[in-house]
Amino acid sequence: MTELLNDWLPILETEFKQAYYSKLWDTVRAGYERGEVYPEEQDIFSALQLTSLNAVRVVLLGQDPYHGAGQAHGLSFSVKPGVKIPPSLRNIYKELATDVGYTMPNHGDLTSWAKQGVLLLNTALTVRANEAGSHRGLGWELFTDRIIKVLNECQRPIVFLLWGNHAMEKQSLITNNHHCILASAHPSPLAAYRGFFGSRPFSRTNDFLVSNGGIPIDWRLPE
């Protein structure tokens, strides 16, 4: 497993020593040995590596990685360059265009958001090939709940984007009222028209950041 090399490590190293994590990793490692787990092992902690704890300004919470070959690279909703844009991400781009007027990107790589302080965190960090949700309940949720609780304790204001019922279940972990929670329907084709479209998450996020003395996110993605 790729080691964390930034300020997340001293916060999370106690989790790596927990019994639940040891059991979790035994299961995940066995899957990697059979070649059936995504993302690639070195990408499991990409969200944390690209967005250090001190840099987090926005949290975009997903469920688990894409389960198709070559898609997942450790960032929620994001896919590797050259991979077809998944339907949920295409709907995110549609709302982005409507909300802030940016042209829809021609790729699905959200790395530039991560580098600006958008933590693209899935609640489960691995998945079996072609089996959505297959690593839920193994222990990843305990690990990522710890991350959310740490962020909740931060004194700087953070925006939490909670899209869909699964993400909204984490709202109870966000108790400090100086943070901002923007909850809506999920951007999937089955739910986007029930409240995601028109929710204006990108402009509302930037309005909150600026009103609290912060720098807005540049949501444009380089071609």
Side-chain angles (χ1 to χ4, degrees):
M1 181 187 297
T2 301
E3 184 180 3
L4 281 172
L5 300 175
N6 59 19
D7 56 0
W8 281 112
L9 180 58
I11 299 296
L12 296 174
E13 60 184 351
T14 56
E15 295 299 306
F16 294 133
K17 298 174 183 177
Q18 298 295 319
Y20 85 84
Y21 192 90
S22 178
K23 184 177 179 180
L24 160 67
W25 183 241
D26 285 346
T27 301
V28 172
R29 181 176 55 194
Y32 277 120
E33 290 172 353
R34 294 190 296 267
E36 60 178 26
V37 171
Y38 300 130
E40 294 179 10
E41 185 175 342
Q42 66 266 24
D43 290 332
I44 292 176
F45 296 129
S46 288
L48 301 174
Q49 292 282 32
L50 286 169
T51 312
S52 67
L53 172 57
N54 286 332
V56 176
R57 297 189 284 149
V58 180
V59 179
L60 177 48
L61 199 62
Q63 296 187 29
D64 54 359
Y66 295 115
H67 55 83
Q71 291 181 298
H73 63 140
L75 306 178
S76 63
F77 295 102
S78 181
V79 291
K80 295 179 180 180
V83 175
K84 182 179 178 181
I85 300 172
S88 292
L89 182 54
R90 189 166 295 278
N91 284 339
I92 291 170
Y93 286 171
K94 288 179 180 178
E95 179 61 20
L96 177 66
T98 300
D99 186 10
V100 294
Y102 294 153
T103 302
M104 290 181 61
N106 61 2
H107 63 88
D109 184 3
L110 304 181
T111 299
S112 70
W113 292 359
K115 290 181 177 179
Q116 294 181 72
V118 181
L119 181 63
L120 299 166
L121 181 68
N122 284 312
T123 56
L125 300 188
T126 57
V127 67
R128 268 197 310 273
N130 305 314
E131 295 183 45
S134 51
H135 281 186
R136 294 179 202 166
L138 293 182
W140 279 128
E141 290 84 358
L142 294 172
F143 184 80
T144 53
D145 279 0
R146 172 63 177 150
I147 293 171
I148 296 170
K149 291 174 182 177
V150 168
L151 292 168
N152 176 61
E153 294 168 1
C154 290
Q155 293 306 303
R156 68 184 181 279
I158 295 173
V159 179
F160 291 84
L161 297 174
L162 307 181
W163 296 342
N165 292 334
H166 180 83
M168 284 189 274
E169 289 174 357
K170 304 301 181 180
Q171 189 164 339
S172 62
L173 303 177
I174 308 162
T175 58
N176 280 332
N177 58 17
H178 60 267
H179 298 314
C180 175
I181 298 173
L182 298 179
S184 74
H186 194 274
S188 74
L190 295 175
Y193 286 96
R194 295 187 222 148
F196 177 74
F197 288 139
S199 62
R200 300 175 48 245
F202 307 102
S203 62
R204 292 168 68 196
T205 291
N206 281 349
D207 287 347
F208 177 82
L209 293 175
V210 171
S211 69
N212 284 275
I215 300 172
I217 304 295
D218 184 357
W219 296 108
R220 290 173 293 188
L221 292 165
E223 298 295 336

